[in-house]
């Protein structure tokens, strides 16, 4: 069993930055590919970024490319999402998912989910 705890959200102005963290306990994350998703009120859940279990491959939705960076530190059992140049449309509940040796893409099956951290970008 893997427990995921997302943190780092908050209120920021347009153009600001935040770094989200997804810390795991229970098992090492080194066997799991990880992804960040987000869901805004009234909208469907959206894939944001993913990173393979080795860290060799990363994936981003088009709207965040060049602004967001996903990374991982397996020694700390933590995955990060650095978000720069934030826009009001980035406002959402962000949460992380883990897929055992899977591909960290939108349609993959995720075995574990974190509880989410709120990101609010004011205009």
């Amino acid at each position: 069993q893997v427990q995921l705890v997302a943190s780092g959200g908050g209120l920021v102005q347009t153009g600001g930055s935040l770094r989200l963290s997804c810390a795991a306990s229970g098992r090492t994350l080194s066997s799991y590919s990880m992804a960040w998703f987000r869901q805004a009120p009234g909208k469907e859940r959206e894939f944001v970024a993913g990173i393979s279990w080795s860290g060799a491959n990363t994936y981003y939705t088009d709207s965040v490319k060049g602004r967001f960076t996903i990374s991982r530190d397996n020694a700390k059992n933590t995955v990060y999402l650095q978000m720069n140049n934030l826009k009001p449309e980035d406002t959402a509940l962000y949460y992380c998912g883990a897929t055992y040796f899977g591909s960290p893409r939108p349609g993959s099956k995720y075995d574990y989910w974190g509880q989410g951290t709120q990101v609010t970008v004011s205009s």
Side-chain angles (χ1 to χ4, degrees):
Q1 194 78 4
V2 176
Q3 292 80 41
L4 301 175
V5 178
S7 62
L11 175 63
V12 65
Q13 292 185 335
T14 297
S17 298
L18 286 172
R19 188 176 82 154
L20 306 184
S21 299
C22 176
S25 61
R27 288 185 182 176
T28 177
L29 274 186
S30 59
S31 300
Y32 291 85
S33 295
M34 302 293 296
W36 287 95
F37 287 76
R38 65 187 180 187
Q39 187 166 19
K43 294 188 177 181
E44 293 187 354
R45 183 178 66 188
E46 175 189 27
F47 172 87
V48 177
I51 187 166
S52 61
W53 58 272
S54 66
N57 299 299
T58 57
Y59 309 89
Y60 299 92
T61 191
D62 286 345
S63 63
V64 308
K65 285 180 180 177
R67 300 189 297 123
F68 290 11
T69 303
I70 189 171
S71 62
R72 66 189 299 156
D73 186 340
N74 285 343
K76 294 184 178 180
N77 239 22
T78 302
V79 175
Y80 305 98
L81 185 67
Q82 177 67 43
M83 306 186 296
N84 298 328
N85 191 22
L86 283 161
K87 304 176 180 180
E89 52 263 43
D90 295 318
T91 295
L93 181 67
Y94 284 71
Y95 50 102
C96 52
T99 175
Y100 184 67
F101 281 122
S103 177
R105 300 196 190 213
S108 296
K109 174 185 175 295
Y110 288 84
D111 303 292
Y112 302 102
W113 294 95
Q115 87 291 359
T117 184
Q118 179 67 37
V119 172
T120 303
V121 185
S122 62
S123 57

